[in-house]
Amino acid sequence: MCTAFVRKGKDVIVGFNMDINMGAVDYDVYVEPDQFYVGVRPAGVANAYPELIDNYERNGELPVIRIQGINHKGNFGNCLNNMCFTKASFRLGENVISIDHIVDDYISGTSNLEDIIRIANEKEIMNWPNGSVDIPDLAMHSLLADREGRIMLLEPGNGYSIIQGEYAVLSNFPMLELPGDFRDENAGFYGKDRYDKAMNMLRDSNEDFSIEDGIRILRAVKQEGTWATRVSFVYSNNENAVYYCKERDFDHMIRHQFVN
């Protein structure tokens, strides 16, 4: 299900928990000198949409697509499940682009936040094609940030918003259009409990917000069971380093120093 946050203070700290059912997607963690990301191979796309082979195949094989991560430039990108959202279903066209391609380019460093804003103003942003991940009615949205602490919410079907403020959180409900059944009794289905917990911790934070504070947030919103937290990471712009772990092992975070 996933939770993302950004906190801008004396440092720019971003964090992410990837929560997913085992087998829902073929993913791996990639640690490179200038990038850290969770990558997927959209194997189901080739069978469901043979016309997309030219879009996805590179050098005769399906590539790894970066779906959440950070690079040495401070580009923080991600794709979180947007529950029960039916707008912007995938289609092909000259004036459309899917959110996975936007996020992949951003994490790879081939685009910046200005590029994404320009694209969002010029093209219609689509959700992933079904078959990318084994989730019914697949829809995604993103919380993006850069090393200056600029924050952007990107939501296919609803557009985008530049968030003014020192922090932001995203979980699994559409921020730009709350669901019609968004009530206390089922808000947990949308991850509002995780959203509220992270927001409350950020509201109580100060300008000295640190890597350790970010890890505390991810630990507080971690998931167990079927949709457990599989990968967690926190990035510090001042250190230009990412701290990460797998399977909720927050007591043994691994530090990766980016090459500037």
Side-chain angles (χ1 to χ4, degrees), residues 17-149:
N17 272 350
M18 173 178 150
D19 310 332
I20 196 162
N21 188 8
M22 294 297 288
V25 63
D26 178 17
Y27 76 89
D28 207 344
V29 175
Y30 296 82
V31 183
E32 301 178 0
D34 60 348
Q35 302 171 39
F36 170 89
Y37 60 92
V38 176
V40 304
R41 292 187 184 275
V45 172
N47 296 325
Y49 299 91
E51 69 273 22
L52 294 184
I53 291 300
D54 289 340
N55 290 53
Y56 280 89
E57 266 197 349
R58 301 169 193 167
N59 301 319
E61 65 178 9
L62 289 169
V64 172
I65 297 178
R66 304 162 184 84
I67 57 169
Q68 42 246 358
I70 188 84
N71 67 18
H72 71 292
K73 298 178 181 179
N75 291 3
F76 174 51
N78 44 70
C79 289
L80 292 79
N81 190 18
N82 193 4
M83 296 293 292
C84 296
F85 193 74
T86 58
K87 292 182 179 179
S89 297
F90 182 83
R91 63 182 174 84
L92 291 172
E94 292 184 2
N95 295 315
V96 302
I97 185 171
S98 59
I99 191 171
D100 58 310
H101 282 181
I102 291 176
V103 170
D104 180 82
D105 285 345
Y106 192 55
I107 297 172
S108 73
T110 59
S111 70
N112 56 35
L113 212 57
E114 286 78 13
D115 293 324
I116 296 177
I117 293 170
R118 174 182 53 79
I119 291 169
N121 286 326
E122 293 177 354
K123 295 188 176 185
E124 187 177 358
I125 300 174
M126 300 285 100
N127 278 296
W128 287 16
N130 287 331
S132 304
V133 180
D134 187 16
I135 298 174
D137 301 321
L138 182 64
M140 296 286 174
H141 55 182
S142 300
L143 185 69
L144 308 170
D146 64 13
R147 71 185 332 155
E148 297 174 24

